[in-house]
Structure formats: C-alpha cells, structure tokens
Amino acid sequence: MSNKKELTSYFKNFKITTIIELCAAGIFTLLNISFHADISLLAFPISVIYLAITCWFVLYKIVIKTDGSHIYVAIKLTEYLPYLLFITFIIRRAGNTGTTFAIDVIAVLSWFVVFVLAYLNSTKMYPVNPAAAASASQRKVNGRNAANYPKLVQGWAVVPVERKFKGMGKVLFEIVDWIDAFFWAIFTVLIFQIFLVQLYEIPSESMVPTFLVKDRVFVSKIDCGPKFPLTDVGLPDFRKYKRGDTIVLRNPHYSMDRKSEVKTVTSQLIYMFSLMTVNLNKDADGELKYDPLVKRITGLPGEQLVMQDGTLYRRTNASDVFEPVELDNKFATWNLNAVAPKLKRYVQSFPLDSNDYQQMIDFEETRRNYDLSAAEFQANELVRQFKKYTVVNKNAGTFNKPSLYEFNLFNTVPALTKDLMTKEGGAEWFEKFLTSWIPSKNEIRDVYSESNYRLNVMTKITLGKIVVEYARLAFDEIPENEWRNDTVLTKAYDEAEILNWYIQGLLDERNMPVFPANDSQGNPQYIPANCYFMMGDNRFNSLDLRHAYDKKEIALTSGDPLSVTYLSMMAPQYINKKYIVGKPVFRFWPLGRFGKV
C-alpha cells in the first residue's frame, strides 16, 4: 500500500513540474509577440508551434493519457524546449525595435524555470522496462542510473518499451542519434560560452609577452556579469577589478547600437552552428572584427592619467601631483628584443630593433634637455640670416601659406624656400613661423604638453636651418648639383629624419595626453566609477584604448598658433565594466605554455 502511494506521489510530482514547465514556456511564448514588420515576427509562431507539439506529446500523451508509446519524442521535445525558446528570444529582439527591460526580466525568469525543469522532467522520462525494476539499481539507461525511473511508469496505460532497431532502421537511428548529439554539443557550448566559460584565441601580438598569437585560453565569465544576448538582464558582476588584471572586453572602437549588436549575436550563432567555419562578424569593409579584445587594466576609477616617454603617471583628487604608476612598469613592454629568448623566437613582429630602441631613448633625452632659450636666439638669428637672401620678385605673386603638416614641410623645402625668397609676404611668414612659439615659452605645461611643445620648436628650428641654407646656396648661385654635398644640409636633414620618425611613428605609441582631459577651466577630471582604462602590454603594437582606428591631422601643441601638425590616432577613452566580457584564467594551448594566466 505504501509502495503504491509512493508511486502515485512520484508521478504527481512529475505532473506538477511538467505543468509548471509548460506554463512558464507559455508565458515566455506570449512575450514573444511582436507587431513589427521585421524578423521579430517569426519568434511567436515558431515558439507557439513548438510548444503546441510539446504539449501534445508531453502533457496530453504522457501526463493525461499515461501513454508511453512516444516517450522518446516527448523526451527530446522537452530537452530541446529551452534551447528553441532561447533562439526565439534572440529572434524577438533582433528586429528594429527591442523589448522593455521589464519584459526581458520576465522572459529570462520564465526561460530559467523552463531550463531547470526541462532537465529534471526529461531525466525522469527516460524509459526502462518495469520487469527489470528488480535489478534497476545496477542498470544504466542512456548513461543514467535507472533505479527510480520505474516509479514513473508504474500503472501507465501504455508502458514504454525500448525499441531495438535492425538493418536500415538501426542505421537511421544512429544517424539521428549523432545529429542529436551534435545539437546537444552546440547548445551546451553556446550556453557555457554566454554565461560560464568562453574559449578565446589570441588574435594579435598586442599582449606579448603575456600572450602570443594563437595562444588559447579559458575566459571566466560567470563572475563578470554575463548578460542574455541583446538585453541588460543577466548575472550581477561579482568580480573586483584591480590594476594589472588581464581582461577580455568588447571593442569600443566598433559601434554597439542595436543593429550592430544584432549582427554580432547572429554571427556568433552562425559561427557555432557552422562548426566555426563561417564567421560573419565583419566590419563595413568586409574585414573580420577584432572583437572582443584582451588587454590589461592600467587605469582605475578616480584617476587621471598621463603617459610620457613610456612611463604612466596618475593622480587623484587627493593630490595634484602626477606620480609614476610603478606596477605598470612590470607589464609594459617597450623593447621586445629584451624578452626571454624562449619567447622571443615566437614573436612575429619587432617594431624596433636594438639600435632603433636606443636611438629613441637618446632622442627623448635630447628633447628633455632641449634649451628653449637657446632655441629662441637661434630662431631670431635664422630670421636675420634669411632676410639677407630675400629677393622679392613682384612678378612672382603673393606668398600662399603652406601646409604645416610636418612630413610635407620637410619634403617640399626647395620649392618652399624659393617662394619664401621671391614672393611678397614670404619673408614675413617665415619670421612668424619661426617665432610664433616664443610668447608662450615660459608657460607651465603638463609633462606631455611640454614634450610636444619642444618637439614643435625642434621641428621649426630644423626646418629653418634647411630653408636658410637653401636660400644661401641659391643666393650665392651655387650649382644645384653641388647642394647634395653641403654639410649643413646633410646634418639638418639627419635631424629632420629623426624628428619625422619619432613624430609620425612613435609619438602616439610612446605617449598619451592627460586623460580624462581637464575641463575648460583647467580643473582635473577623473575616470568615473565602474569605468576602467586598458592598454596592451606590447605598447608599440597595440591598438588599445589610447587610439582611434582612423588618423586625423592635429597640431603638435596648442601653445603655438602656427604649430607644426602630424597625423594622430590619439583618442584615449575608458569603458564601463559592463563591457568587460571576462577574465582569462588558464592557458591550455600551446602545451609548452600550459598553465594559469
């Protein structure tokens, strides 16, 4: 009697959990209703049809009629229910208009109920012959211990019976079983990747020597606040981030509007279902997106940063003084030639060889020690000398102001010199150009602004020396075929080459202006709460949060109305922690670098 009561209770519990599961699925399905003429219209009919079929086989056949003749179909429909609903969840939000946060919350809670109960209920339905109940504790059915399963089928109108296939039927069964296993694997990996752990392959050398290209790592996501696709609903962010943490983040250089996010999520699904053979996550030019990125946290909330000559400085509202960030020196890699030999042989790109690196260090030392007072005297002296060689030709026309782009200035000096010497207004412009920086010479500037101010002056003085020497050669009617042997020009052009190399190639990689920038009144601004600044360890080979993807021409200094300009990618930004995807925790490939990150 007690045994019969126990069996009745077991089936009753199964009945209750099944009804709850299907009711939750029904609520979820109603939330899929869309009135917009786009892809979101498909979500409701897909979920309704699947739910109706599931109700027929599970609720009607199994629960009401206790007919186990199609129990395998009922099991599979139950198992796949949460995954089918998950796909319709994305489809509903993939249209031009999303859903409200409240609807997202209810939908997610409903889906979670379905997810948990679908697993429990499908487990209970796996069939076993009641006659074998005596030995049930010793049996395994589909990898599960069968001890309790007979309780569910006792007294059924149609008891489930395991079917044994032969011949072609067996072949078809195996094919279907493999397809089933394939989709289970895909869905399992998908859920794991969204909420728990993601496998990430390092795409570039921005984090050398911490990571090399093709390193593969496990990225922990569960404590970084993973969210349901295309919503803000998900788990809370438990992780406390600190300087020096390596993290995986969404690439802020790409748009994150609804259209872009839909494309990203869709491409990820296709990438999974195509066994990682089709990747549609591309930019407007058809190139694969570098998204997400792996970087290191270098700036924290409440800090203002500046970087000069490879050293990162910080200050907070507790102090006006910028102080070096000692921990950053532990990770920042400027000279790849100095990395350990066992890693060096795997590095693909060396931005600077040993000689270039030393030349950069020497140049920075020269710039720091550059005497602005001596430069002021030299500028005035160059103007005085140039005026001796000026021969204005009224038929030559009026001087047109040239581009101040540093590269163009040095590459058009002979023609520029001729115009300065012969055209009306040329000598006057040359004087303004060489001396326009002098009124602001003694102003107090931050370390970055002062450095660029000096670069501007150095560039002008070097250009002035070349112009004056060309003017002298022309005025003295020295044959042009002898100009190339002129020692003054040779020395000045050597200086110009180093200046161009540093300004156009190294300046934005090696340095960063005060960030966040001061307000219009000069008051310091700080990285907001829950926001962080990141850089790659391989600073010369990292497009990180210092840079934009496009270059623009800007002045070297604001302290000179006729400042030399250069092409800059400098556009520092911080990101909110909600865009942090996870944290690399373990490197599993290559085996030679196997271990904790």
Side-chain angles (χ1 to χ4, degrees):
M1 185 73 175
S2 60
N3 186 47
K4 183 176 181 181
K5 184 177 180 180
E6 180 184 352
L7 294 174
T8 301
S9 176
Y10 191 83
F11 183 78
K12 183 179 179 180
N13 290 337
F14 168 76
K15 179 179 179 180
I16 292 173
T17 55
T18 298
I19 292 173
I20 294 174
E21 174 197 345
L22 296 177
C23 286
I27 293 172
F28 183 97
T29 298
L30 289 175
L31 296 176
N32 273 340
I33 294 176
S34 173
F35 300 99
H36 305 283
D38 52 37
I39 191 173
S40 63
L41 278 176
L42 297 176
F44 180 69
I46 291 174
S47 52
V48 161
I49 293 171
Y50 190 94
L51 181 58
I53 296 173
T54 303
C55 286
W56 172 263
F57 281 99
V58 179
L59 183 61
Y60 180 72
K61 284 287 189 179
I62 300 296
V63 174
I64 297 177
K65 293 295 186 180
T66 63
D67 181 353
S69 57
H70 294 94
I71 196 168
Y72 186 78
V73 176
I75 290 171
K76 289 303 168 185
L77 287 169
T78 302
E79 287 180 337
Y80 283 112
L81 179 60
Y83 300 110
L84 185 282
L85 295 182
F86 186 83
I87 292 174
T88 62
F89 180 91
I90 296 174
I91 292 174
R92 172 61 186 88
R93 286 149 185 82
N96 297 325
T97 305
T99 51
T100 65
F101 182 77
I103 289 178
D104 289 341
V105 169
I106 298 172
V108 168
L109 292 176
S110 301
W111 181 87
F112 183 74
V113 171
V114 174
F115 180 78
V116 173
L117 295 183
Y119 173 78
L120 296 176
N121 291 332
S122 63
T123 299
K124 293 177 182 178
M125 283 192 289
Y126 269 95
V128 62
N129 192 331
S135 60
S137 61
Q138 312 299 322
R139 291 195 54 190
K140 296 281 184 177
V141 177
N142 291 320
R144 294 172 169 83
N145 192 295
N148 292 322
Y149 302 131
K151 294 180 181 179
L152 183 66
V153 302
Q154 292 289 328
W156 278 21
V158 180
V159 178
V161 178
E162 284 190 271
R163 295 184 61 185
K164 293 186 178 182
F165 298 95
K166 295 181 180 180
M168 185 55 68
K170 185 175 182 180
V171 173
L172 292 175
F173 177 81
E174 290 294 333
I175 292 174
V176 171
D177 199 43
W178 274 102
I179 294 174
D180 174 57
F182 167 76
F183 280 107
W184 260 106
I186 291 293
F187 284 127
T188 301
V189 170
L190 182 65
I191 296 300
F192 263 79
Q193 181 169 294
I194 291 175
F195 298 107
L196 301 176
V197 176
Q198 180 176 352
L199 304 183
Y200 183 74
E201 181 178 274
I202 304 301
S204 72
E205 294 196 315
S206 67
M207 286 294 290
V208 171
T210 306
F211 294 117
L212 301 175
V213 173
K214 301 296 184 182
D215 277 2
R216 298 184 181 184
V217 296
F218 288 112
V219 177
S220 173
K221 301 180 72 172
I222 190 169
D223 56 349
C224 295
K227 301 293 187 287
F228 270 72
L230 306 177
T231 75
D232 290 325
V233 181
L235 299 177
D237 188 347
F238 298 109
R239 181 172 290 278
K240 300 297 182 182
Y241 302 101
K242 61 184 184 298
R243 196 189 324 274
D245 283 350
T246 54
I247 52 92
V248 175
L249 68 150
R250 294 295 309 278
N251 190 338
H253 296 102
Y254 296 123
S255 173
M256 293 187 188
D257 57 18
R258 275 196 52 78
K259 184 178 179 180
S260 300
E261 290 299 277
V262 168
K263 183 178 180 180
T264 297
V265 171
T266 303
S267 65
Q268 289 173 345
L269 290 175
I270 294 174
Y271 187 64
M272 293 294 298
F273 281 102
S274 66
L275 296 179
M276 295 179 285
T277 59
V278 179
N279 191 343
L280 301 180
N281 194 23
K282 299 180 180 180
D283 60 22
D285 298 323
E287 299 294 330
L288 289 178
K289 288 183 177 181
Y290 285 98
D291 187 23
L293 301 171
V294 57
K295 301 296 176 188
R296 191 180 299 278
I297 293 178
T298 53
L300 302 176
E303 293 182 339
Q304 187 180 46
L305 308 171
V306 66
M307 187 164 68
Q308 186 58 48
D309 297 344
T311 298
L312 183 68
Y313 300 85
R314 65 179 284 272
R315 70 177 177 184
T316 65
N317 59 8
S319 173
D320 290 335
V321 179
F322 279 106
E323 298 179 349
V325 180
E326 298 297 337
L327 183 61
D328 189 65
N329 293 329
K330 178 180 178 181
F331 301 111
T333 302
W334 296 104
N335 185 11
L336 286 181
N337 300 281
V339 302
K342 65 179 181 179
L343 292 179
K344 185 177 178 180
R345 60 194 177 112
Y346 295 110
V347 178
Q348 299 174 8
S349 175
F350 290 83
L352 300 178
D353 61 27
S354 297
N355 292 332
D356 288 340
Y357 183 78
Q358 187 58 50
Q359 186 177 43
M360 177 193 71
I361 298 298
D362 294 341
F363 175 81
E364 291 175 342
E365 181 69 17
T366 299
R367 186 213 62 234
R368 285 192 292 269
N369 296 326
Y370 191 70
D371 190 334
L372 292 177
S373 295
E376 179 182 359
F377 175 83
Q378 193 172 15
N380 288 315
E381 180 62 19
L382 287 170
V383 170
R384 186 190 66 79
Q385 292 177 22
F386 183 75
K387 288 180 178 179
K388 294 191 306 182
Y389 309 126
T390 302
V391 183
V392 176
N393 182 352
K394 293 184 178 180
N395 295 326
T398 304
F399 179 77
N400 294 318
K401 297 177 183 178
S403 165
L404 294 178
Y405 179 49
E406 176 269 336
F407 182 81
N408 289 343
L409 282 173
F410 282 122
N411 279 275
T412 59
V413 180
L416 175 62
T417 302
K418 182 179 179 181
D419 288 347
L420 290 170
M421 291 176 64
T422 60
K423 291 186 176 182
E424 188 175 346
E428 289 78 8
W429 183 89
F430 182 69
E431 180 176 8
K432 288 181 181 178
F433 174 76
L434 276 191
T435 61
S436 57
W437 59 273
I438 295 175
S440 58
K441 182 186 70 171
N442 296 320
E443 289 183 3
I444 297 176
R445 287 173 281 269
D446 62 76
V447 62
Y448 176 86
S449 299
E450 180 65 23
S451 169
N452 282 16
Y453 183 85
R454 290 169 179 265
L455 281 176
N456 175 63
V457 176
M458 293 169 72
T459 302
K460 289 192 167 192
I461 296 299
T462 300
L463 183 71
K465 289 190 290 187
I466 296 174
V467 168
V468 170
E469 185 62 11
Y470 270 128
R472 184 191 71 79
L473 293 171
F475 186 83
D476 292 344
E477 299 182 347
I478 304 297
E480 290 190 19
N481 60 354
E482 297 181 15
W483 292 8
R484 69 181 62 185
N485 299 321
D486 186 86
T487 56
V488 174
L489 284 179
T490 300
K491 183 179 179 181
Y493 269 116
D494 286 342
E495 294 175 3
E497 184 177 358
I498 295 176
L499 281 163
N500 178 73
W501 172 66
Y502 190 88
I503 292 171
Q504 302 292 350
L506 303 179
L507 178 58
D508 280 5
E509 304 292 344
R510 186 76 167 151
N511 312 289
M512 183 181 72
V514 171
F515 172 76
N518 296 337
D519 64 18
S520 57
Q521 284 76 44
N523 300 312
Q525 303 298 298
Y526 304 100
I527 298 174
N530 297 320
C531 294
Y532 299 87
F533 177 74
M534 295 89 170
M535 289 189 283
D537 289 351
N538 187 7
R539 298 287 161 85
F540 278 132
N541 195 8
S542 177
L543 279 175
D544 47 45
L545 297 194
R546 293 173 292 168
H547 305 127
Y549 278 7
D550 298 316
K551 293 183 177 182
K552 61 180 179 179
E553 186 177 343
I554 66 170
L556 267 176
T557 177
S558 60
D560 180 357
L562 291 178
S563 170
V564 171
T565 64
Y566 77 109
L567 289 180
S568 175
M569 299 178 68
M570 188 62 68
Q573 61 180 309
Y574 48 75
I575 66 162
N576 192 285
K577 69 177 183 178
K578 70 179 182 179
Y579 294 116
I580 296 178
V581 174
K583 186 180 188 305
V585 293
F586 197 84
R587 183 190 296 105
F588 64 92
W589 188 264
L591 295 179
R593 290 164 52 76
F594 185 87
K596 183 179 179 182
V597 176

